[in-house]
């Protein structure tokens, strides 16, 4: 990892001004609108009944654009037509260990160990460049203030997949502790001609220990250390089915995919300190270090060439009628390690009725990437034999360091408020490539200023905010042009919130210069394409977000309702072509951005019984990949249903049916074929609280 002593010395000075306790002070109007309409309370009874470990529907209800995913895979997302510069945070800290150098890395936390998730559309300048285009902020479960508290959950489905988790925590005097453990196991029958199980397991552990200041302390403060460990092992890859075979058996795979797998292991350490300097000033400092190791294998080559529609058809034909000579296949493998370290501070103080926020962050991370290949012979008995050892095709190391600082002032004048922010970030990136491999090295730095202004008005239950911001995200080491992603962002948001009703509307326009794209959803990429980042010169994104939440209460029952509708028009101003992302004309929709997404949650709660439905609709994705046109993913509805019964205050049983309409939902449509989302499954679960 690179050494940057000058950056550390700056941070050491900045710690004097650190703070991060937003709960103690007023939010901006834009932040309050996001919190009211883009937040999912994962502990709420109507949401907790689903007991998801990961859920695209829950993230859709926050307003994130959720991309279709295969079973037991991480949920990928974008926001308002862009993926770079959209941060996933947990407790205010990057969830990815390497957001600057590992930009293809997709991770989401286990929802069982979170208490809420919120999407912020127009972020504050204090969030930095990696969240300049939106942030998905998770809040992990907190240490209980009770002496002893906990919960236990176990569920099993009709395929004998099961999950089990426990959370135990408590506080004695000034000290508290929490331990959360969760385990998931799944196995899908995916053999096309030969019976085959595709197994997947995941383990998640979270440990926290905290201490408050002693009674009588001059300044109240708290310190919390947390540790997280997770591992994921899944026998899945990119290879899918032909159109004809998908229409017959959408959830199965060809035997050529028998060696495919995705494994990952991560660790995360955080030391958080909160200090109340006075009644009007707080200080918060976070130190964090995290690592992630990733190993994958994808059968993506036929006779030494990247798979395409023709060779996929040959694989399908061989499965039905194997030949004595067998079939020559090749797998793309990855063996990657990511690590990141940082210290961040935020200071908030009130000056009369006005609020001033200071922030600073020093972050450094690295990605050590090894992309390779291995040749296989697919025998006439449909077994696979390796014909070569795994060979490294490219080995490189990306390093990145970033220093950011920002000042944000909220000026309040009765019902009016003006929010002025100015952020600065300096990013240095480098790429070292082993001499044996043909990939360009890089060593450059860039910096950007991010000014922001918001004018807002609040009257009773009504609020409105007009915001403008210059957003900036630095290029990665794989960006040949070394050009940052920039955009002028404008948003008008209007909201009404009173009692059990919250509604909002946000109209926006983002004018991009050099929008970043890489190997992303809907693509299959070779080793070079994985390592590169490209720019689309001019992109304009306009749209509207509508949100409504209401709880209709009667004497004997209630009807909760939450809905989110998004219309996104993301168009290139000029034509675009690349070897990675295909070609599309000027003034055309970016083919990986759905124009419409709609999600809702509603049902009936009657005493100890509740029945809740959640749904996600997405319009078609007109994807063209790797310069060869393929059919789009048609619009899709995904509906889940749960029924729960609380036997006592501590004990509850539930039944959940996923994909209750039993639709043939597409997860991916690439040159490697079609993959399905989860088929209809029924889960029986038990929840205990003590």
């Amino acid at each position: 990892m690179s050494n940057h002593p000058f950056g550390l010395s700056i941070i050491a000075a900045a710690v004097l001004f650190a703070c991060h306790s937003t709960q103690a002070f007023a939010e901006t109007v834009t932040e309050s609108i996001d919190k009211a309409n883009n937040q999912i309370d994962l502990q709420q009874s109507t949401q907790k009944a689903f007991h998801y470990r990961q859920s695209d529907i829950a993230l859709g209800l926050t307003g994130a654009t959720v991309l279709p995913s295969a079973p037991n895979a991480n949920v990928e997302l974008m926001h308002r037509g862009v993926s770079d510069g959209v941060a996933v945070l947990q407790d205010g800290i990057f969830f990815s260990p390497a957001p600057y150098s590992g930009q293809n890395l997709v991770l989401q936390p286990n929802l069982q160990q979170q208490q809420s998730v919120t999407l912020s559309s127009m972020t504050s300048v204090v969030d930095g460049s990696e969240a300049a285009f939106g942030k998905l902020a998770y809040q992990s479960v907190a240490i209980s203030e009770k002496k002893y508290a906990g919960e236990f959950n176990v569920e099993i489905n009709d395929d004998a997949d099961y999950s089990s988790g426990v959370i135990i925590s408590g506080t004695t005097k000034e000290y508290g502790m929490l331990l959360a453990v969760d385990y998931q196991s799944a196995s899908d029958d995916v053999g096309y001609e030969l019976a085959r199980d595709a197994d997947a397991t995941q383990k998640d552990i979270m440990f926290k220990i905290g201490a408050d200041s002693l009674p009588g302390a001059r300044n109240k403060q708290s310190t919390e250390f947390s540790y997280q460990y997770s591992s994921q092992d899944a026998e899945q890859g990119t290879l899918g089915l032909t159109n004809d075979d998908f229409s017959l058996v959408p959830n199965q795979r060809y035997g050529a995919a028998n060696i495919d797998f995705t494994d990952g292991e991560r660790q995360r350490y955080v030391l958080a300190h909160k200090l109340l300097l006075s009644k009007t000033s707080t200080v918060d400092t976070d130190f964090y270090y995290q690592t992630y190791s990733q190993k994958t294998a994808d059968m993506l080559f036929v006779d030494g060439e990247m798979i395409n529609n023709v060779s996929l058809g040959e694989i399908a034909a061989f499965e039905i009628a194997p030949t004595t000579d067998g079939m020559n296949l090749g797998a793309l493998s990855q063996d990657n390690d990511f690590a990141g370290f940082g210290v961040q501070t935020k200071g908030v103080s009130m000056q009369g009725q006005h609020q001033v926020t200071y922030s600073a962050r020093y972050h450094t991370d690295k990605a050590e990437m090894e992309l390779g290949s291995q040749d296989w012979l697919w025998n006439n008995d449909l077994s696979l034999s390796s014909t070569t050892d795994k060979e490294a095709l490219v080995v490189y190391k990306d390093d990145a360091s970033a220093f950011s600082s920002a000042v944000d002032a909220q000026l309040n004048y009765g019902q009016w408020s003006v929010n002025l922010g100015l952020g600065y970030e300096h990013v240095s990136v480098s790429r070292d490539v082993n001499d044996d491999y043909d990939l360009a090295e890089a060593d450059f730095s860039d910096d950007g200023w991010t000014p922001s202004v918001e004018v807002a008005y609040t009257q009773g239950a009504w609020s409105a905010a007009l915001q403008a911001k210059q957003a900036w995200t630095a290029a990665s080491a794989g960006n040949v042009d070394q050009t940052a992603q920039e955009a002028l962002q404008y948003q008008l948001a209007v909201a009404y919130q009173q009692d059990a009703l919250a509604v909002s509307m946000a109209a926006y326009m983002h004018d991009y210069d050099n929008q970043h794209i890489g190997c992303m959803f809907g693509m299959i990429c070779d080793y070079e394409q994985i390592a590169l980042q490209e720019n689309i010169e001019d992109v304009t994104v306009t749209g509207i977000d509508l949100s409504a939440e209401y709880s209709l209460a009667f004497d004997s029952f209630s009807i909760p309702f939450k809905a989110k509708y998004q219309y996104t028009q993301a168009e290139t101003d000029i034509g675009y072509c690349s070897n990675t992302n295909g070609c599309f004309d000027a003034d055309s929709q970016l083919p990986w951005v759905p124009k419409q997404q709609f999600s809702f949650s509603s049902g009936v709660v009657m005493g100890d019984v509740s029945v809740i439905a959640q749904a996600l609709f997405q319009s078609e994705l007109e994807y063209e990949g790797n310069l060869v046109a393929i059919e789009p993913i048609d619009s899709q509805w995904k509906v889940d249903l749960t029924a729960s019964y609380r036997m006592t205050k501590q004990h509850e049983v539930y039944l959940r049916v996923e994909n209750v309409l039993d639709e043939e939902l597409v997860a991916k449509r690439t040159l490697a074929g079609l993959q399905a989302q989860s088929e209809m499954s029924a889960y029986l679960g038990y929840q205990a609280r003590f």
Side-chain angles (χ1 to χ4, degrees):
M1 188 173 294
S2 301
N3 294 319
H4 304 277
F6 71 93
L8 289 173
S9 64
I10 293 174
I11 277 295
V15 169
L16 297 175
F17 303 100
C19 73
H20 178 51
S21 183
T22 57
Q23 290 86 351
F25 297 94
E27 301 166 322
T28 67
V29 173
T30 298
E31 289 171 336
S32 64
I33 291 175
D34 282 341
K35 189 172 182 179
N37 297 278
N38 296 353
Q39 184 178 83
I40 298 295
D41 182 358
L42 299 171
Q43 303 299 313
Q44 190 179 42
S45 59
T46 54
Q47 182 66 40
K48 191 72 173 175
F50 284 88
H51 298 284
Y52 286 125
R53 268 64 181 179
Q54 278 208 19
S55 171
D56 50 0
I57 297 181
L59 298 186
L61 285 168
T62 69
T65 302
V66 183
L67 300 175
S69 61
N72 309 308
N74 272 293
V75 177
E76 297 184 71
L77 56 89
M78 65 173 60
H79 182 53
R80 294 182 173 177
V82 68
S83 56
D84 193 25
V86 181
V88 177
L89 307 176
Q90 181 181 265
D91 302 333
I93 297 169
F94 294 130
F95 191 74
S96 170
Y100 291 84
S101 59
Q103 297 191 339
N104 290 326
L105 186 60
V106 178
L107 296 172
Q108 299 288 342
N110 186 333
L111 292 183
Q112 278 285 65
Q113 298 179 353
Q114 314 301 311
Q115 55 183 337
S116 68
V117 55
T118 307
L119 180 78
S120 297
S121 299
M122 294 284 285
T123 59
S124 168
V125 294
V126 302
D127 291 315
S129 70
E130 286 304 305
F133 297 91
K135 68 175 181 179
L136 190 68
Y138 291 87
Q139 187 69 36
S140 66
V141 289
I143 299 173
S144 174
E145 296 180 355
K146 299 179 181 179
K147 186 175 181 180
Y148 183 77
E151 61 180 65
F152 170 74
N153 169 256
V154 62
E155 63 180 34
I156 188 169
N157 74 356
D158 48 358
D159 289 329
D161 301 341
Y162 66 93
S163 301
S164 180
V166 62
I167 301 174
I168 301 173
S169 69
T171 300
T172 303
K173 295 183 179 180
E174 297 82 28
Y175 305 98
M177 189 177 298
L178 178 145
L179 176 64
V181 180
D182 194 77
Y183 179 79
Q184 306 166 54
S185 176
S187 181
D188 295 323
D189 181 11
V190 297
Y192 188 76
E193 282 295 315
L194 295 178
R196 172 180 173 249
D197 291 332
D199 298 326
T201 60
Q202 181 164 332
K203 310 176 191 70
D204 292 280
I205 299 173
M206 177 185 292
F207 172 76
K208 293 183 178 183
I209 185 169
D212 292 332
S213 54
L214 297 174
R218 183 174 179 179
N219 296 103
K220 291 185 178 181
Q221 57 185 306
S222 64
T223 303
E224 182 179 274
F225 169 79
S226 64
Y227 168 76
Q228 283 181 266
Y229 170 85
S230 63
S231 67
Q232 180 185 40
D233 303 303
E235 294 178 352
Q236 62 180 14
T238 305
L239 188 62
L241 301 174
T242 65
N243 291 349
D244 291 340
D245 289 342
F246 185 85
S247 64
L248 296 174
V249 284
N251 292 92
Q252 295 186 5
R253 306 281 173 84
Y254 298 126
N258 279 5
I259 59 97
D260 288 356
F261 72 90
T262 300
D263 293 347
E265 184 176 78
R266 74 186 308 270
Q267 298 189 70
R268 172 182 165 110
Y269 306 83
V270 176
L271 180 63
H273 180 258
K274 302 179 185 292
L275 174 63
L276 182 64
L277 289 176
S278 67
K279 293 181 179 180
T280 59
S281 182
T282 64
V283 172
D284 194 355
T285 308
D286 299 317
F287 297 86
Y288 57 90
Y289 173 72
Q290 46 190 336
T291 63
Y292 180 75
S293 63
Q294 177 191 58
K295 292 181 174 61
T296 68
D298 281 317
M299 195 71 86
L300 290 180
F301 300 96
V302 177
D303 291 328
E305 299 294 330
M306 179 72 80
I307 195 169
N308 55 38
N309 290 334
V310 174
S311 53
L312 181 65
E314 294 172 354
I315 287 177
F318 186 90
E319 182 97 1
I320 300 297
T323 62
T324 56
D325 293 336
M327 191 172 188
N328 295 316
L329 304 175
L332 175 66
S333 64
Q334 297 190 59
D335 189 351
N336 307 324
D337 288 288
F338 306 88
F341 161 80
V343 54
Q344 62 186 29
T345 67
K346 187 187 290 183
V348 182
S349 63
M350 297 296 296
Q351 308 294 329
Q353 62 183 351
H354 310 304
Q355 175 180 301
V356 180
T357 302
Y358 312 89
S359 71
R361 177 194 292 126
Y362 174 76
H363 175 92
T364 181
D365 62 46
K366 66 178 180 180
E368 296 180 348
M369 313 285 287
E370 181 179 314
L371 311 177
S373 68
Q374 186 173 8
D375 293 334
W376 293 81
L377 178 64
W378 201 9
N379 302 299
N380 60 0
D381 62 354
L382 297 182
S383 64
L384 285 162
S385 303
S386 60
T387 58
T388 65
D389 294 330
K390 187 172 70 173
E391 176 188 8
L393 297 175
V394 61
V395 178
Y396 65 94
K397 175 183 174 183
D398 286 355
D399 270 282
S401 64
F403 171 73
S404 62
S405 60
V407 179
D408 190 273
Q410 181 180 343
L411 310 177
N412 301 303
Y413 303 99
Q415 295 165 327
W416 289 91
S417 66
V418 178
N419 208 79
L420 302 173
L422 181 61
Y424 170 79
E425 184 157 3
H426 181 275
V427 179
S428 297
V429 298
S430 65
R431 169 169 289 179
D432 295 324
V433 183
N434 189 300
D435 293 336
D436 297 333
Y437 307 104
D438 184 20
L439 191 68
E441 294 193 340
D443 188 0
F444 64 93
S445 61
D446 199 359
D447 55 15
W449 292 89
T450 53
S452 175
V453 59
E454 177 200 76
V455 179
Y457 179 78
T458 302
Q459 174 65 51
W462 289 95
S463 58
L466 177 63
Q467 188 175 7
K469 178 184 177 183
Q470 169 70 43
W472 179 91
T473 297
S476 74
N479 191 299
V480 177
D481 297 327
Q482 300 179 1
T483 305
Q485 175 178 273
E486 298 181 87
L488 285 172
Q489 301 178 326
Y490 307 95
Q491 176 178 280
L492 172 64
V494 180
Y496 177 86
Q497 183 179 10
Q498 188 172 36
D499 299 327
L501 175 64
V503 294
S504 74
M505 180 277 296
Y508 60 88
M509 182 185 77
H510 297 178
D511 185 10
Y512 286 88
D513 291 326
N514 299 308
Q515 187 182 98
H516 290 163
I517 55 173
C519 185
M520 56 183 292
F521 168 80
M523 301 178 186
I524 57 170
C525 301
D526 62 23
Y527 65 93
E528 186 177 66
Q529 293 165 336
I530 291 173
L532 297 180
Q533 182 186 70
E534 297 182 348
N535 306 320
I536 307 179
E537 185 175 340
D538 290 300
V539 175
T540 301
V541 181
T542 57
I544 187 169
D545 294 341
L546 301 174
S547 180
E549 184 172 5
Y550 184 63
S551 182
L552 188 62
F554 298 93
D555 291 339
S556 58
F557 67 95
S558 62
I559 302 176
F561 175 82
K562 183 178 181 68
K564 192 83 177 181
Y565 172 77
Q566 303 161 243
Y567 176 82
T568 304
Q569 182 173 294
E571 295 184 345
T572 56
D573 297 335
I574 60 174
Y576 172 78
C577 264
S578 81
N579 290 327
T580 303
N581 304 295
C583 295
F584 35 93
D585 298 328
D587 300 322
S588 62
Q589 178 83 356
L590 295 180
W592 51 82
V593 181
K595 277 194 174 182
Q596 299 184 76
Q597 180 175 293
F598 174 67
S599 54
F600 78 87
S601 174
S602 186
V604 177
V605 179
M606 185 167 53
D608 296 325
V609 178
S610 66
V611 179
I612 304 292
Q614 289 190 346
L616 177 68
F617 167 81
Q618 205 167 71
S619 60
E620 71 176 11
L621 291 162
E622 299 180 1
Y623 194 74
E624 295 181 21
N626 300 81
L627 300 177
V628 179
I630 57 178
E631 298 176 26
I633 296 179
D634 294 332
S635 58
Q636 300 186 123
W637 272 102
K638 181 180 181 181
V639 182
D640 296 349
L641 182 70
T642 185
S644 62
Y645 171 63
R646 182 178 296 178
M647 299 179 291
T648 68
K649 188 176 181 180
Q650 290 79 28
H651 304 283
E652 181 180 357
V653 293
Y654 61 89
L655 174 68
R656 182 175 77 251
V657 182
E658 298 182 4
N659 188 12
V660 68
L661 301 179
D662 200 18
E663 294 286 329
E664 293 181 357
L665 301 174
V666 177
K668 288 184 179 181
R669 184 191 291 271
T670 71
L671 295 177
L674 285 88
Q675 288 190 2
Q677 299 185 51
S678 298
E679 57 187 341
M680 185 174 70
S681 300
Y683 289 79
L684 181 63
Y686 165 74
Q687 176 83 7
R689 300 174 181 87
F690 47 89

